[in-house]
């Protein structure tokens, strides 16, 4: 008898998929990535997929043989093969290669911590990070996700969207994730900032995700009808940050954004 607490069908996740095993395998990877500890047991994953332990065990064995997951005692974690696949994906993104080349020679950005990110729903995913400022290492790692409301690059990318789409995602009374006393708290606050970002052409984050850290960001002009929605950001310590420094950072971020969005100049 199916567990009444489980809203999935008795066939479990992937029952309506043209390739259920692939759908379930992807769900395993997603579940491990979302786990607070990065580790889940066979029972945990069977519940997540809504299928018997025997079926889950076979699926985990196949993923383990492919090095996509790793077994540690009674628990499973993401496998190192995923790092290789992620690196291969990033190495083929022309934008990422150009990002590193530009940061290395830019007068200001070469001395700062700079990141390129991609919009993913109400989050951004960081694709690359240039480490030019050893003092600012408390920023997101490659592959990390961050809610758009908590970071300058997320807000810069949101500001490009249709106002109707933003309203659907963030009604005025929407409660936003909070990380510091300065984090935005409602959809209304976010939309007010987005209006300012559209007017000035860049986003500024003032200790909203990390106390003592500020961030500036711009969006990259979309390359082609189906180009990725990319943004660039630079992080600085608030104690030493100046408006003059910020102006130069924004100038170089815009130059880099134009280069990425229109490589032919």
């Amino acid at each position: 008898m199916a567990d009444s607490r489980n809203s999935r069908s008795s066939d479990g996740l992937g029952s309506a998929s043209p390739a259920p095993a692939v759908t379930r395998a992807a769900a395993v990877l997603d579940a491990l990535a979302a786990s607070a500890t990065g580790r889940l047991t066979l029972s945990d994953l069977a519940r997540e997929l809504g299928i018997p332990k025997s079926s889950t065990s076979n699926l985990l064995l196949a993923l383990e043989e492919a090095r996509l997951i790793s077994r540690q005692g009674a628990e499973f974690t993401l496998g190192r093969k995923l790092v290789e696949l992620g690196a291969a994906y990033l190495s083929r993104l022309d934008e990422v290669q150009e990002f590193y080349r530009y940061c290395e020679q830019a007068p200001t950005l070469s001395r700062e911590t700079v990141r390129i990110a991609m919009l993913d729903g109400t989050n951004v995913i960081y694709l690359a990070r240039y480490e030019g400022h050893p003092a600012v290492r408390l920023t997101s790692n490659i592959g990390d996700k961050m809610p758009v409301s908590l970071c300058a690059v997320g807000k810069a990318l949101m500001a490009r969207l249709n106002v109707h789409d933003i309203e659907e995602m963030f009604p005025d009374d929407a409660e936003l994730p909070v990380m510091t006393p300065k984090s935005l708290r409602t959809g209304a606050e976010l939309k007010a900032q987005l209006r300012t970002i559209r007017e000035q052409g860049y986003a500024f984050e003032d200790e909203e995700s990390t106390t003592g850290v500020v961030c500036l960001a711009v969006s990259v002009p979309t390359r082609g009808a189906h180009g990725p929605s990319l943004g660039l950001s630079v992080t600085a310590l608030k104690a030493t940050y100046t408006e003059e420094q910020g102006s130069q950072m924004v100038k170089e971020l815009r130059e880099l954004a134009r280069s990425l969005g229109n490589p032919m100049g």
Side-chain angles (χ1 to χ4, degrees):
M1 178 182 294
D3 189 337
S4 61
R5 294 171 297 177
N6 193 334
S7 60
R8 305 181 194 275
S9 71
S10 59
D11 290 331
L13 181 68
S15 58
S17 168
V22 174
T23 300
R24 290 167 181 160
V28 167
L29 300 179
D30 284 341
L32 290 171
S35 169
T37 62
R39 301 165 182 265
L40 292 173
T41 65
L42 169 62
S43 297
D44 294 331
L45 290 164
R47 281 194 298 271
E48 179 69 25
L49 273 61
I51 60 176
K53 284 186 181 180
S54 57
S55 301
T56 305
S57 179
N58 290 335
L59 180 60
L60 295 178
L61 180 60
L63 288 171
E64 188 178 4
E65 288 179 349
R67 296 193 297 125
L68 295 173
I69 65 172
S70 176
R71 187 194 304 262
Q72 298 185 6
E75 297 177 315
F76 295 87
T77 67
L78 293 175
R80 293 184 180 179
K81 181 69 175 180
L82 294 171
V83 178
E84 298 172 20
L85 296 174
Y89 169 76
L90 291 174
S91 70
R92 286 161 178 77
L93 275 183
D94 292 340
E95 292 89 348
V96 170
Q97 300 309 309
E98 175 60 22
F99 164 80
Y100 282 119
R101 282 194 293 269
Y102 182 93
C103 288
E104 286 171 359
Q105 56 82 37
T108 300
L109 295 185
S110 62
R111 302 191 301 270
E112 306 297 339
T113 299
V114 192
R115 292 167 292 174
I116 182 169
M118 179 172 64
L119 188 63
D120 181 33
T122 59
N123 296 295
V124 295
I125 301 174
Y126 291 101
L127 302 178
R129 181 175 70 182
Y130 174 83
E131 292 277 10
H133 195 319
V136 186
R137 299 227 169 187
L138 41 155
T139 55
S140 302
N141 295 311
I142 295 172
D144 283 354
K145 285 189 176 184
M146 175 75 81
V148 293
S149 62
L150 285 170
C151 56
V153 69
K155 289 184 284 190
L157 288 169
M158 287 296 295
R160 294 181 53 186
L161 300 184
N162 182 283
V163 173
H164 175 73
D165 293 336
I166 296 172
E167 184 62 43
E168 283 195 342
M169 287 188 279
F170 297 102
D172 286 351
D173 59 354
E175 294 184 5
L176 305 179
V178 172
M179 292 182 71
T180 77
K182 290 192 174 183
S183 299
L184 301 180
R185 303 197 173 241
T186 67
E189 291 178 348
L190 173 61
K191 286 180 286 188
Q193 272 207 14
L194 295 181
R195 287 191 288 271
T196 300
I197 292 166
R198 291 189 196 99
E199 292 170 3
Q200 63 190 19
Y202 67 91
F204 180 72
E205 174 204 332
D206 185 9
E207 301 184 282
E208 293 161 46
S209 62
T210 306
T211 300
V213 173
V214 299
C215 190
L216 298 106
V218 301
S219 61
V220 175
T222 302
R223 185 187 297 185
H226 304 290
S229 190
L230 301 174
L232 302 163
S233 65
V234 56
T235 305
L237 295 174
K238 183 160 186 178
T240 57
Y241 174 79
T242 65
E243 288 189 11
E244 235 177 335
Q245 178 189 20
S247 296
Q248 184 61 28
M249 287 176 169
V250 170
K251 176 177 179 291
E252 293 181 13
L253 284 177
R254 284 172 169 163
E255 288 176 357
L256 175 54
R258 282 194 296 271
S259 175
L260 297 180
N262 182 16
M264 300 305 290

